[in-house]
Amino acid sequence: MVKLTINGRQITAEEGATVLNAARENNIYIPTLCNNEAIAPYGACRMCLVDIKTTRGRQRLVTSCIYQVEEGLNVQTHSERVLQNRRMLLELLLARCPDSKTIQDMAREAGVNGKRLVEQTDNHLCILCANCARTCDEVVGVAAISLARRGVERKMTTPFDEDFSEACIGCGSCVYSCPTGAITMVDNDGTRLVKWPHNRMEFKMRKCTVCGQYWAPEKQIEYIAKISGTPLSQYDICPDCRD
Ligand code: SF4
Ligand code: FES
């Protein structure tokens, strides 16, 4: 175990734990946006910044979702330097995604009221954290979407920027991993519609031969059958009717 101090409170944490997880284990709040336990820490949003001072006297800001606990580490989650940086980050995010309720709430909580920066209005709530693409790649194993282009043109998109991705199976994992609700998914009358910030795609769904409910996209079922080596006919019945 490692002993460290967060906000003047001495705590212990597992070796290899991140400062964020150590804080959470001890009910110490650090705001986050891109942190998601299903995928590897990436440090995209920098909302989880904390002030650290090592035993050698080195003081700096680090992203707590990546930085690991050290013996004797002194952490401040709400120092003036942290709050200033967090406010600046939120001003940038607010300018990028002025309509995002998540960002608006976090900005209000941090005391960011006015908008000093020019708003971009075509970003559809996307903060470019890449959670969706990383979930698609790391968890589903499909890599159907990715970040493309540079600078102000950077965006989350499909290959060739089309309303189509050969690899996408329509599972919706990206929807659940997006911290700002920038991706939506609606199932209607045998069709699933997934809308990403700049693209959309429709999927035909499979109907359960017992209850008649549409329960999963055909492409997702084909993918599962392929990687598990099971026959497609095994998926004629939905999970609810299987027992
Ligand atoms: S769509 Fe959501 S998860 Fe994907 S990069 Fe944008 S904000 Fe992040
Ligand atoms: S939560 Fe740590 S960088 Fe986003």
Side-chain angles (χ1 to χ4, degrees):
M1 298 296 276
V2 175
K3 278 194 200 132
L4 68 155
T5 306
I6 303 185
N7 297 346
R9 203 171 121 199
Q10 197 167 76
I11 63 164
T12 52
E14 296 268 351
E15 200 146 336
T18 62
V19 169
L20 176 65
N21 283 342
R24 284 183 172 167
E25 290 271 307
N26 288 277
N27 296 319
I28 298 167
Y29 174 66
I30 298 173
T32 59
L33 264 173
C34 72
N35 182 254
N36 184 317
E37 283 179 7
I39 47 181
Y42 187 60
C45 74
R46 299 188 61 77
M47 199 50 54
C48 66
L49 280 179
V50 292
D51 224 331
I52 59 154
K53 191 169 183 187
T54 66
T55 46
R56 274 183 265 152
R58 189 153 180 233
Q59 193 165 359
R60 64 193 165 112
L61 292 178
V62 296
T63 44
S64 61
C65 68
I66 291 181
Y67 199 88
Q68 292 184 356
V69 293
E70 293 164 8
E71 189 68 33
L73 192 70
N74 192 335
V75 182
Q76 292 291 331
T77 62
H78 288 73
S79 67
E80 194 43 48
R81 196 155 70 126
V82 167
L83 296 179
Q84 255 179 26
N85 275 272
R86 206 174 280 152
R87 281 195 289 268
M88 174 52 83
L89 286 167
L90 281 162
E91 280 196 73
L92 291 167
L93 289 173
L94 208 49
R96 178 172 179 83
C97 302
D99 299 328
S100 166
K101 174 91 173 48
T102 310
I103 305 299
Q104 287 169 3
D105 289 348
M106 290 184 93
R108 200 174 312 113
E109 194 183 316
V112 175
N113 300 314
K115 291 174 186 161
R116 289 186 300 159
L117 307 171
V118 180
E119 290 182 4
Q120 287 180 273
T121 49
D122 58 348
N123 288 309
H124 311 271
L125 313 181
C126 179
I127 59 166
L128 300 175
C129 68
N131 273 19
C132 50
R134 290 186 303 120
T135 303
C136 187
D137 183 18
E138 292 175 28
V139 181
V140 189
V142 160
I145 48 174
S146 62
L147 285 171
R149 304 198 193 165
R150 295 187 179 274
V152 288
E153 295 200 342
R154 192 130 172 97
K155 63 173 176 173
M156 177 53 59
T157 187
T158 52
F160 309 109
D161 215 2
E162 291 173 353
D163 284 340
F164 177 73
S165 165
E166 179 70 44
C168 184
I169 57 174
C171 68
S173 301
C174 54
V175 180
Y176 299 108
S177 70
C178 177
T180 58
I183 313 173
T184 59
M185 176 172 80
V186 178
D187 293 349
N188 189 21
D189 203 20
T191 302
R192 169 170 292 182
L193 172 64
V194 179
K195 281 189 190 170
W196 297 289
H198 302 278
N199 322 89
R200 58 171 61 200
M201 211 172 146
E202 284 189 355
F203 300 86
K204 189 169 172 281
M205 296 186 72
R206 179 164 288 211
K207 197 181 207 173
C208 173
T209 52
V210 175
C211 68
Q213 295 290 317
Y214 290 102
W215 67 279
E218 294 282 2
K219 275 186 86 177
Q220 183 179 1
I221 291 170
E222 284 161 18
Y223 177 73
I224 295 168
K226 189 175 158 202
I227 60 171
S228 62
T230 44
L232 264 178
S233 57
Q234 196 166 310
Y235 302 88
D236 287 343
I237 301 172
C238 76
D240 289 346
C241 294
R242 261 178 223 160
D243 294 335

